[in-house]
Amino acid sequence: MNREKKVIIKELTIEKFSQKGKAIAYDEKKNKIVITNAVIEDVILAELNKKKNKGIIKGRILEILKPSTYREDPKCKHFDICGGCIWQNIKYLYQLEQKQNFLIDTFQDFIKKTNVEMHPIIKSKNIFEYRNKMEFSFSQNRKKTKFLGLIMKGGRFVIDIQRCFLANIWFSKVLVEVKNWWEKYDFDAFNYYNGEGFLKNLTIKEGKNTQDKMVILTVSDSYTLNDEEKKDFIDHVLKSIIPDKKISIFFNTQISKKGVKTTFNLQKLYGNDFIKEDLNINALGKKIKLSFQIGPNSFFQPNTHMAEILYTTAINYLEKQDIKDKTALDLYSGTGTIAMILSKFVKKVLAIELSENACSMAKDNMKLNNIKNFEMINGDVSKILPTLLSNKNFEKPHIVVVDPPRSGLSDEAIENILKIYPEIIIYISCNINTQLDNIKVLTEKNYQLKVLHPIDQFPHTFHIENIAILKKT
Ligand SMILES: C[S@@+](CC[C@H](N)C(=O)[O-])C[C@H]1O[C@@H](n2cnc3c(N)ncnc32)[C@H](O)[C@@H]1O
């Protein structure tokens, strides 16, 4: 039977990257074509899917006819298929140039029409082994072959990872040893499509400034490990690291039932309840060292050294003399890292955070650092701000810092920030598009965008962290 061929072969030149880091080419009919692992200016022979998906044709490289001058050999042998990094085959300085260009494109109206200061992106202190946390997945195919690692590029399958260069080598050693442990048993990986199976994730964390280590095995409640299996798990983890280092090991059971809020049953198997991480901040002429306890469920910025630079850079836009008798508000504060740093420069800081767990961690960390001029409020920014504003004794803050999730600020949050009407708004964001939308609204209402200062926290990915400084007109 003469089957119709499902692919087309074409010579293409890569013209640009999308904001999601994908390499884009156009054919003679101006169809948009996305090519995995290609680099701007590559001339390639590509195999293209015949069918469009959401108006886009996908393809893969068959042969690089003329490699781009921006190309670099990836360090990682998993790069071709692993979804962990998409830009490891691009020279780092060119990755930065691309991120800077994304920001310039996004904020072009402000750049053309106002005198906003646009700063060059601050490069990451390390371009490999910069992450302090990784989450790996357990998975099995139909033949029950076991996989433990990261999700494939553009796919949903997990691939085995022997060495991931985004984190220190001990993360990979633990990963390989946990896979060896799994091979000894017939536990199934959890299947997210039918909700069956047992092993879900392996999360690994470290304090970059303390070398404390943590390993968390997350499972479903379809089974539980017996004491011998747990001991064997601990032995495998310990075998893979230098024994004199501090390590905590946790067994985390996720209990999910339809219509009921998911809960976790966390059991410590070994070591301390927390790891410690230090932040060294050198802002407004003052050197500050703060210590943080990080539990198995607490959020901490994933690139410690760049978090230090992010916070330092943002705070350096304040005037030390102007703020010492003033109050500050840290919205979407996580575990209160920014608030704790700010507390060293202002009279009082108030922080609002939705996660109960993050709030309780913040309170512990306040005690650990002996900080007394900081109050943490647990709740939704959109609901807490109106309550604060309705209180006659509420002292309107001089500074408002916002670091919202990717979705940005809600309309209610913006409305209430405008009612507070602070002198300065520091807007930190990991999504420059929602940041732009929010800034447009704020600048229509008596604020001026003064500064844009991007920071690279995640080399080899398209992600940008951006600080925007807004001041009252
Ligand atoms: C990007 S993180 C900020 C983390 C923190 N600023 C830091 O540097 O560690 C965003 C935080 O906003 C919190 N959040 C999300 N929606 C919220 C809401 N409606 N009200 C308050 N906090 C919220 C999340 O729980 C998360 O901790």
Side-chain angles (χ1 to χ4, degrees):
M1 199 169 67
N2 192 7
R3 282 220 184 133
E4 198 192 347
K5 267 177 92 184
K6 290 230 170 70
V7 291
I8 303 168
I9 312 252
K10 218 177 243 313
E11 186 179 318
L12 295 168
T13 300
I14 304 301
E15 294 187 20
K16 62 175 193 178
F17 286 116
S18 72
Q19 270 206 12
K20 293 245 162 96
K22 292 187 171 148
I24 312 280
Y26 293 92
D27 66 10
E28 61 290 346
K29 289 184 187 150
K30 297 280 166 227
N31 284 310
K32 188 173 175 180
I33 301 167
V34 171
I35 307 284
T36 311
N37 293 339
V39 176
I40 289 191
E41 293 186 6
D42 272 346
V43 181
I44 56 165
L45 200 61
E47 183 184 85
L48 310 181
N49 291 348
K50 222 172 179 185
K51 272 193 174 168
K52 280 187 187 175
N53 187 358
K54 294 181 189 158
I56 296 170
I57 299 171
K58 281 190 181 174
R60 66 179 189 96
I61 302 176
L62 281 182
E63 192 187 338
I64 301 175
L65 302 171
K66 185 167 175 270
S68 159
T69 50
Y70 304 117
R71 264 191 177 270
E72 184 158 79
D73 285 340
K75 188 174 170 128
C76 175
K77 67 173 182 185
H78 307 293
F79 171 77
D80 281 349
I81 53 170
C82 178
C85 300
I86 58 162
W87 275 1
Q88 221 192 89
N89 59 348
I90 303 173
K91 289 180 179 156
Y92 183 57
L93 288 183
Y94 195 65
Q95 294 179 26
L96 293 178
E97 200 179 314
Q98 285 300 309
K99 293 186 190 193
Q100 189 84 39
N101 288 342
F102 290 159
L103 191 68
I104 292 171
D105 277 356
T106 307
F107 281 87
Q108 56 180 300
D109 280 352
F110 281 100
I111 294 166
K112 277 185 208 145
K113 294 177 193 156
T114 72
N115 21 359
V116 56
E117 279 171 38
M118 158 66 83
H119 290 260
I121 187 164
I122 302 177
K123 62 180 181 187
S124 181
K125 205 167 159 191
N126 303 305
I127 66 164
F128 289 106
E129 303 194 3
Y130 58 82
R131 287 191 67 97
N132 58 29
K133 179 188 169 189
M134 294 290 294
E135 190 165 296
F136 300 103
S137 305
F138 291 87
S139 182
Q140 274 168 297
N141 61 14
R142 283 200 188 125
K143 290 183 189 154
K144 295 277 178 202
T145 313
K146 295 169 173 174
F147 299 93
L148 174 58
L150 293 168
I151 294 175
M152 279 176 93
K153 276 195 176 83
R156 54 197 169 101
F157 299 111
V158 172
I159 54 163
D160 271 335
I161 299 284
Q162 267 82 45
R163 173 71 169 108
C164 174
F165 287 98
L166 291 185
N168 189 290
I169 189 162
W170 77 267
F171 281 55
S172 301
K173 287 185 177 169
V174 170
L175 186 69
V176 169
E177 261 314 310
V178 171
K179 178 81 191 298
N180 290 340
W181 168 80
W182 185 22
E183 294 292 2
K184 289 159 69 177
Y185 301 91
D186 57 6
F187 310 134
D188 276 339
F190 185 78
N191 180 330
Y192 285 86
Y193 295 94
N194 62 17
E196 287 169 11
F198 178 53
L199 297 169
K200 288 189 153 185
N201 303 105
L202 183 75
T203 308
I204 308 182
K205 301 186 184 190
E206 78 172 335
K208 281 279 178 198
N209 287 327
T210 61
Q211 274 72 57
D212 282 6
K213 296 173 169 51
M214 182 179 280
V215 173
I216 308 146
L217 176 67
T218 301
V219 298
S220 77
D221 59 354
S222 62
Y223 176 71
T224 188
L225 298 181
N226 63 35
D227 288 349
E228 219 169 279
E229 289 157 352
K230 282 179 188 163
K231 184 174 177 310
D232 198 26
F233 178 77
I234 298 169
D235 288 346
H236 274 270
V237 172
L238 293 183
K239 197 165 104 185
S240 59
I241 62 154
I242 310 161
D244 63 332
K245 295 287 181 206
K246 287 167 281 170
I247 182 153
S248 306
I249 306 176
F250 286 86
F251 181 61
N252 189 23
T253 307
Q254 191 170 353
I255 305 156
S256 319
K257 285 196 184 71
K258 263 197 180 159
V260 183
K261 199 177 163 197
T262 302
T263 55
F264 291 93
N265 185 355
L266 196 65
Q267 185 195 3
K268 187 179 73 180
L269 299 181
Y270 188 89
N272 293 329
D273 291 351
F274 302 99
I275 54 169
K276 255 182 76 189
E277 179 64 303
D278 295 333
L279 284 183
N280 299 302
I281 306 292
N282 189 354
L284 303 178
K286 205 171 177 175
K287 283 191 177 166
I288 302 164
K289 182 173 177 172
L290 291 170
S291 291
F292 296 87
Q293 287 182 335
I294 304 172
N297 292 324
S298 1
F299 173 84
F300 199 81
Q301 290 282 352
N303 181 342
T304 303
H305 297 314
M306 293 317 286
E308 292 173 333
I309 290 171
L310 172 74
Y311 301 145
T312 302
T313 308
I315 287 177
N316 273 339
Y317 281 108
L318 299 169
E319 293 290 337
K320 200 171 171 183
Q321 280 312 310
D322 292 353
I323 61 172
K324 64 180 197 298
D325 301 322
K326 304 284 175 28
T327 58
L329 185 60
D330 179 16
L331 303 179
Y332 310 87
S333 69
T335 44
T337 31
I338 301 174
M340 271 187 249
I341 300 165
L342 269 174
S343 73
K344 301 284 179 188
F345 299 99
V346 299
K347 188 176 74 180
K348 192 177 173 197
V349 190
L350 209 60
I352 304 176
E353 164 59 44
L354 191 61
S355 153
E356 224 173 285
N357 180 268
C359 285
S360 101
M361 291 299 307
K363 285 176 190 163
D364 290 346
N365 287 325
M366 259 186 257
K367 278 189 209 140
L368 183 72
N369 292 286
N370 198 21
I371 292 173
K372 301 213 163 78
N373 58 339
F374 169 24
E375 191 187 334
M376 190 82 200
I377 305 174
N378 181 209
D380 183 336
V381 163
S382 311
K383 294 189 180 124
I384 303 286
L385 285 183
T387 319
L388 288 177
L389 280 159
S390 65
N391 182 341
K392 283 199 304 274
N393 300 324
F394 175 58
E395 184 184 338
K396 284 193 178 172
H398 182 86
I399 308 155
V400 170
V401 180
V402 297
D403 184 5
R406 294 188 67 75
S407 51
L409 301 172
S410 64
D411 293 346
E412 295 91 335
I414 296 184
E415 198 181 302
N416 286 292
I417 293 169
L418 287 168
K419 281 184 191 156
I420 294 172
Y421 200 29
E423 286 299 319
I424 180 160
I425 300 173
I426 300 179
Y427 190 151
I428 299 173
S429 175
C430 56
N431 181 343
I432 56 175
N433 294 304
T434 52
Q435 189 185 34
L436 171 75
D437 291 344
N438 296 159
I439 288 176
K440 275 186 188 159
V441 180
L442 290 165
T443 52
E444 276 160 16
K445 302 271 164 71
N446 301 335
Y447 279 93
Q448 239 181 6
L449 177 61
K450 293 286 188 188
V451 174
L452 292 169
H453 208 150
I455 285 164
D456 190 24
Q457 293 220 77
F458 302 110
H460 314 304
T461 75
F462 58 87
H463 294 289
I464 311 171
E465 196 77 18
N466 187 40
I467 302 170
I469 305 291
L470 293 117
K471 287 191 178 164
K472 261 182 182 174
T473 48

Short mmCIF file of all heavy atoms in Angstrom, two decimals, residues 34 115 133 155 208 314 415 448 461:
data_model
loop_
_atom_site.label_atom_id
_atom_site.label_comp_id
_atom_site.label_asym_id
_atom_site.label_seq_id
_atom_site.Cartn_x
_atom_site.Cartn_y
_atom_site.Cartn_z
N VAL A 34 8.72 25.91 14.08
CA VAL A 34 9.51 25.83 15.32
C VAL A 34 10.42 24.60 15.23
O VAL A 34 9.94 23.49 14.99
CB VAL A 34 8.57 25.70 16.55
CG1 VAL A 34 9.36 25.41 17.81
CG2 VAL A 34 7.75 26.96 16.72
N ASN A 115 11.99 58.59 29.89
CA ASN A 115 13.44 58.37 30.08
C ASN A 115 13.73 57.30 31.12
O ASN A 115 14.57 57.47 31.98
CB ASN A 115 14.23 59.66 30.37
CG ASN A 115 13.33 60.74 30.88
OD1 ASN A 115 12.23 60.43 30.95
ND2 ASN A 115 13.72 61.92 31.23
N LYS A 133 17.97 23.65 44.17
CA LYS A 133 16.87 22.70 44.30
C LYS A 133 16.54 22.08 42.93
O LYS A 133 16.52 22.80 41.93
CB LYS A 133 15.62 23.42 44.82
CG LYS A 133 14.42 22.53 44.96
CD LYS A 133 13.16 23.28 45.30
CE LYS A 133 11.97 22.36 45.15
NZ LYS A 133 10.70 23.06 45.25
N GLY A 155 7.80 17.24 25.60
CA GLY A 155 7.04 16.00 25.74
C GLY A 155 6.57 15.78 27.15
O GLY A 155 6.62 16.67 27.99
N LYS A 208 23.53 26.63 49.38
CA LYS A 208 24.74 26.91 48.58
C LYS A 208 25.84 27.52 49.43
O LYS A 208 27.01 27.36 49.16
CB LYS A 208 24.39 27.87 47.44
CG LYS A 208 23.73 27.18 46.27
CD LYS A 208 24.77 26.52 45.39
CE LYS A 208 24.13 25.78 44.25
NZ LYS A 208 25.05 24.81 43.65
N ALA A 314 17.83 45.50 44.05
CA ALA A 314 16.53 46.16 44.26
C ALA A 314 16.65 47.17 45.42
O ALA A 314 16.22 48.33 45.28
CB ALA A 314 15.47 45.12 44.57
N GLU A 415 -5.49 48.26 42.56
CA GLU A 415 -6.39 49.31 43.08
C GLU A 415 -6.01 49.71 44.52
O GLU A 415 -5.95 50.89 44.85
CB GLU A 415 -7.79 48.71 43.08
CG GLU A 415 -8.93 49.68 43.17
CD GLU A 415 -10.23 48.86 43.19
OE1 GLU A 415 -10.47 48.08 42.24
OE2 GLU A 415 -10.95 49.00 44.18
N GLN A 448 5.62 56.93 37.71
CA GLN A 448 6.52 56.97 36.57
C GLN A 448 7.45 55.77 36.65
O GLN A 448 7.95 55.46 37.74
CB GLN A 448 7.38 58.23 36.68
CG GLN A 448 7.23 59.12 35.51
CD GLN A 448 8.11 60.35 35.62
OE1 GLN A 448 8.91 60.47 36.53
NE2 GLN A 448 7.93 61.24 34.69
N THR A 461 18.16 28.79 30.10
CA THR A 461 16.71 28.81 29.93
C THR A 461 16.35 30.22 29.43
O THR A 461 17.20 31.12 29.46
CB THR A 461 15.96 28.59 31.26
OG1 THR A 461 16.05 29.79 32.03
CG2 THR A 461 16.56 27.42 32.05
#
